[in-house]
Amino acid sequence: QVQLVESGGGLVQPGGSLRLSCAASGSIFSINVMGWYRQAPGKQRELVAAISSGGSTNYADSVKGRFAISRDNAKNTVYLQMNSLKPEDTAVYYCNADITGTYPNMEYDYWGRGTQVTVSS
């Protein structure tokens, strides 16, 4: 019914930048919170950043000042601008969204399939 598709991942050198995008599609009535999680090898999945429908944001301490989350409600899209990237940022990044469908009219937590971000020289 609803799908999340991430894009923008890739290989970048330390200190570089990437911009991730996640577009939600399908029978969508509304989207509440959208966010980005990441999972590095040997580690648990962790919240990177989240943004509410009203624009309130939360960031993991490790990315504050370097990453910025934003959203375009008209396009059902969330972005993650990643600057000053470090090797420790290497992970699979997953898009997450709390979405209410048009039919059935129920709220559900959706996940994208993930996009690889590799920070290496």
Side-chain angles (χ1 to χ4, degrees), residues 61-105:
D61 289 341
S62 60
V63 306
K64 287 181 179 177
R66 300 189 297 120
F67 292 8
I69 189 169
S70 61
R71 64 191 285 171
D72 185 335
N73 291 330
K75 296 182 177 181
N76 292 330
T77 300
V78 63
Y79 306 93
L80 185 67
Q81 180 65 47
M82 308 166 65
N83 300 322
S84 302
L85 283 161
K86 305 175 181 179
E88 307 93 271
D89 296 318
T90 297
V92 177
Y93 284 70
Y94 297 90
C95 179
N96 173 255
D98 183 13
I99 297 174
T100 299
T102 55
Y103 186 84
N105 187 227

Side-chain angles (χ1 to χ4, degrees), residues 3-101:
Q3 299 83 39
L4 300 179
V5 179
E6 303 100 333
S7 62
L11 174 64
V12 64
Q13 293 184 333
S17 298
L18 285 174
R19 189 191 191 211
L20 305 183
S21 299
C22 172
S25 62
S27 300
I28 298 171
F29 179 76
S30 64
I31 303 177
N32 191 8
V33 176
M34 303 185 80
W36 291 93
Y37 290 71
R38 68 185 181 187
Q39 187 165 25
K43 296 185 178 180
Q44 293 185 325
R45 187 174 298 188
E46 64 175 348
L47 175 67
V48 177
I51 184 168
S52 72
S53 60
S56 298
T57 59
N58 286 302
Y59 296 93
D61 289 341
S62 60
V63 306
K64 287 181 179 177
R66 300 189 297 120
F67 292 8
I69 189 169
S70 61
R71 64 191 285 171
D72 185 335
N73 291 330
K75 296 182 177 181
N76 292 330
T77 300
V78 63
Y79 306 93
L80 185 67
Q81 180 65 47
M82 308 166 65
N83 300 322
S84 302
L85 283 161
K86 305 175 181 179
E88 307 93 271
D89 296 318
T90 297
V92 177
Y93 284 70
Y94 297 90
C95 179
N96 173 255
D98 183 13
I99 297 174
T100 299

